[in-house]
Each structure stands twice: as structure tokens, then as C-alpha cells.
């Protein structure tokens, strides 16, 4: 029987894959965002994100993953007037991005959405949203904007209809 070079390469590849799989016995948990309600987001969180995060130089910047589209800020549809009411698409796109920022295997308290805007002394992560006085978006977990985010993440707001 003749052994072709491609058969040998395939056998080596299969053996390598088996060895790699055997060395990875501990399962890696999926980083999934918690189930959070769109209606609560629109009512309680979207106005906070639009006010505190949606500036063109911040999360209105197309270079950022976490984008906030809102009236008086960067608009999803550039044809819209700057102060036209938020469109359902803007709210849903912002919701999708905010929800993606909750994906972590370590629980919602460790999510980027809750950690990024906090001062480092309050457990915050490296955030570029420092104002002229050197402060982050929210000084601590008692800040009303941060409380709105946390309440939504933990399903603690008013029930949705």
C-alpha cells in the first residue's frame, strides 16, 4: 500500500487536534449577556446613555464599539434633524450595543457597561471619559446614572407592560 504525503499530513493534523482537545479539559464558560428588557432600557437607560455618553467625541464616535445614537448627539440616520425624536432603530441599536457590553462570564457586576463609567477608586475600569477635573462619568455606585444602569441590568426597575 502506498502512503501519499497528503494522507500523512491529514493523520498528523488529526493527531494534533486530538492532543490539543485532550489538554483542554476544563470547559470555558460562555460569556452571555443577562436577559434585559428592551422596554425598561428605552424608558430608564436610553435617556441616561444619551445624556451622559452619546457625545460625538465619546460614544457617538464611529470608532467605538459601544455606540449611543440619540437626538442632540450622533444620529444613526444622518438625514434626521439633530433634534428629531429618537427612532426605534436608534434605540434598538443602542440597546444591542449596551446589552453586548454586559456579556461576561464573571456576572453583570464585572461587565464593562457597569465598570467602565466608574471612577477607578469605585472599582471602575480604564475609561477614556475623563472630564477636565480628572473625574470619570460616575464618581461612585451611588451616582443616579450608574444606578439606572445597574437597576436595568439586575431587573430592579418598574415592570414593563
Amino acid at each position: 500500500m502506498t502512503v501519499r504525503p497528503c494522507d500523512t499530513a491529514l493523520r498528523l493534523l488529526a493527531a494534533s487536534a486530538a492532543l490539543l482537545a485532550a489538554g483542554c479539559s476544563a470547559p470555558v464558560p460562555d460569556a452571555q449577556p443577562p436577559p434585559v428588557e428592551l422596554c425598561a432600557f428605552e424608558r430608564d437607560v436610553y435617556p441616561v446613555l444619551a445624556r451622559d455618553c452619546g457625545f460625538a467625541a465619546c460614544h457617538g464616535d464611529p470608532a467605538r464599539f459601544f455606540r449611543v445614537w440619540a437626538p442632540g448627539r450622533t444620529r444613526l440616520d444622518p438625514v434626521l434633524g439633530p433634534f428629531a425624536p429618537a427612532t426605534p432603530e436608534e434605540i434598538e441599536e443602542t440597546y444591542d450595543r449596551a446589552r453586548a457590553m454586559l456579556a461576561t462570564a464573571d456576572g453583570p457586576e464585572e461587565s464593562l457597561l457597569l465598570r467602565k463609567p466608574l471612577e477607578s477608586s469605585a472599582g471602575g475600569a480604564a475609561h477614556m471619559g475623563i472630564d477636565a477635573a480628572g473625574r470619570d462619568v460616575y464618581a461612585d455606585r451611588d451616582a443616579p446614572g450608574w444606578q439606572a444602569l445597574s437597576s436595568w441590568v439586575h431587573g430592579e426597575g418598574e415592570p414593563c407592560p
Side-chain angles (χ1 to χ4, degrees):
M1 176 167 113
T2 305
V3 177
R4 297 178 304 177
C6 63
D7 290 340
T8 303
L10 286 174
R11 286 188 184 124
L12 286 173
L13 183 61
S16 297
L19 286 173
L20 284 173
C24 299
S25 59
V28 176
D30 288 336
Q32 296 294 319
V36 286
E37 295 190 45
L38 175 59
C39 68
F41 174 84
E42 183 174 0
R43 180 191 64 217
D44 303 329
V45 176
Y46 180 74
V48 170
L49 294 176
R51 180 193 69 211
D52 298 343
C53 309
F55 301 99
C58 297
H59 293 287
D61 183 341
R64 301 206 185 248
F65 166 77
F66 181 47
R67 296 288 306 273
V68 177
W69 291 274
R73 305 289 192 249
T74 303
R75 302 307 303 258
L76 184 59
D77 182 351
V79 175
L80 286 172
F83 297 104
T87 65
E89 292 80 17
E90 288 175 320
I91 294 168
E92 288 174 20
E93 287 285 331
T94 303
Y95 166 81
D96 288 342
R97 297 292 175 103
R99 189 170 172 269
M101 295 289 287
L102 296 173
T104 177
D106 299 323
E109 286 304 314
E110 294 301 314
S111 70
L112 290 176
L113 187 71
L114 293 182
R115 290 184 54 231
K116 279 284 208 180
L118 284 172
E119 292 270 342
S120 59
S121 62
H127 184 253
M128 300 305 291
I130 306 294
D131 68 12
R135 298 172 298 206
D136 231 319
V137 178
Y138 304 124
D140 55 40
R141 294 170 192 270
D142 293 328
W146 192 88
Q147 285 290 316
L149 295 173
S150 180
S151 292
W152 171 64
V153 169
H154 294 97
E156 297 169 346
E158 291 289 321
C160 289

